[in-house]
């Protein structure tokens, strides 16, 4: 049984969203599964000395044109939210809360959150937005709300972000295939090429 | 007559080299020509507050693995030079010196310099390296050497870098197609997609 492809992303990242629309099908074509791992780019950028893309002169405006163009290239929905980048604490914690107890639902929640934020332009930073979207997957709102504030869930997100950095993750999306890193939605083709070569 | 695709690059950039191996054929498939425009990322990074990729924690080591992998993906030669990133003053000036008087030779020199630096891993920072490579294209060494030190050629490179920034160029490679920007060797597919859509 080959190990899952690790898919690291920040909900605030439009390129993470674009990758999220592709990675499951790509992996399935090569007999792989995907482990979805939300992380926070904030602490990671502190370590690398980077800035959020949107705050960088020239690059910010470019990204605002490039991300929707990339979505059109892939043929997936894209709506820029009114506010971005968000601090994605609540959505990321909700996913990690479910990761061990209901992995399938953790995946579906992550996909639903991404779709709401970048597919339809909804704000998903507030706990209320996350509990509402989780409710659509049958998760009681009070339980999700409590989980988002639980110290062990907060710790888990922090630990997962640290662990990602320790493995070389410095951006979103970032993939690890049997230990090899691939950064960016624009490396999906390279990932597929590596999977193909590895299978032959 | 459609306008040429503007191709901005720094000789120090491995991704600029990868793009250089592809862009002429890509443009030709869509009835376009390419204007090769060497610039210096140094002043541009000063403006955007960025760092050379290789100096960035986590990202530097990633790039050292990603650039040769990208070359293998494209099926083009790649040899990491002993020293990089270089300060690409001499090679960039030599290209701008020829740009108006012998545009075809300016293109061929740029391609030869890139191929020497990233295809074969040669150092091209020194004026002597540039004059030697230019001599291979029939350019007298003394003329090239003088041009590299000519104040008007130095000014030209500075002015072209400024002009690029004014048009939104912030990285290497960067393409402009009828005013629309595409950043990165990984945007060649998007550029081809746009050219195809524009032609229909």
């Amino acid at each position: 049984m080959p190990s899952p492809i690790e898919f690291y992303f920040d909900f605030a990242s439009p390129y993470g969203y674009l990758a999220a629309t592709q990675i499951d099908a790509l992996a399935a074509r090569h007999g792989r599964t995907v482990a979805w791992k939300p992380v926070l780019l904030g602490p990671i950028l502190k370590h690398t000395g980077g800035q959020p893309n949107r705050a960088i002169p020239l690059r910010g405006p470019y990204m605002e044109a490039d991300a929707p163009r990339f979505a059109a290239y892939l043929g997936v929905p894209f709506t820029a939210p009114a506010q971005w980048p968000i601090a994605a604490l609540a959505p990321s914690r909700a996913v990690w809360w479910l990761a061990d107890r209901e992995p399938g639902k953790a995946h579906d929640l992550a996909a639903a959150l991404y779709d709401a934020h970048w597919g339809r332009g909804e704000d998903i930073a507030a706990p209320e937005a996350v509990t509402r979207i989780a409710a659509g997957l049958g998760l009681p709102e009070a339980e999700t709300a409590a989980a988002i504030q639980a110290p062990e869930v907060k710790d888990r997100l922090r630990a997962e972000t640290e662990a990602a950095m320790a493995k070389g993750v410095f951006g979103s999306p970032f993939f690890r295939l049997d230990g090899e890193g691939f950064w960016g939605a624009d490396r999906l083709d390279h990932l597929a090429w590596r999977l193909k070569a590895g299978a032959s």
Side-chain angles (χ1 to χ4, degrees), chain A residues 94 97-98 101-102 105 109 127-148:
Chain A
W97 162 57
L98 291 170
R101 32 178 283 182
E102 296 187 76
K105 207 155 261 188
L109 177 60
E128 297 69 32
V130 176
T131 55
R132 188 177 40 73
I133 290 165
L137 298 168
L139 294 156
E141 299 207 14
E143 273 188 49
T144 310
I148 289 170

Side-chain angles (χ1 to χ4, degrees), chain A residues 19-137:
Chain A
T21 67
Q22 308 295 313
I23 188 61
D24 288 336
L26 188 160
R29 281 195 292 276
H30 299 279
R32 297 271 187 151
T33 56
V34 182
W36 288 44
K37 294 172 173 285
V39 293
L40 296 179
L41 277 187
I44 293 175
L45 290 175
K46 231 171 241 174
H47 177 70
T48 59
Q51 295 259 352
N53 277 327
R54 204 184 187 195
I56 300 173
L58 302 181
R59 193 149 146 185
Y62 171 81
M63 188 190 184
E64 290 177 29
D66 179 64
R69 183 179 65 199
F70 201 153
Y73 170 81
L74 294 171
V76 298
F78 189 91
T79 311
Q83 295 287 332
W84 67 281
I86 56 163
L89 290 158
S92 305
R93 286 179 191 159
V95 172
W96 281 116
W97 162 57
L98 291 170
D100 298 326
R101 32 178 283 182
E102 296 187 76
K105 207 155 261 188
H107 167 277
D108 294 349
L109 177 60
L113 286 162
Y114 245 152
D115 193 45
H117 192 45
W118 290 107
R120 299 193 302 277
E122 296 176 17
D123 194 336
I124 60 163
E128 297 69 32
V130 176
T131 55
R132 188 177 40 73
I133 290 165
L137 298 168

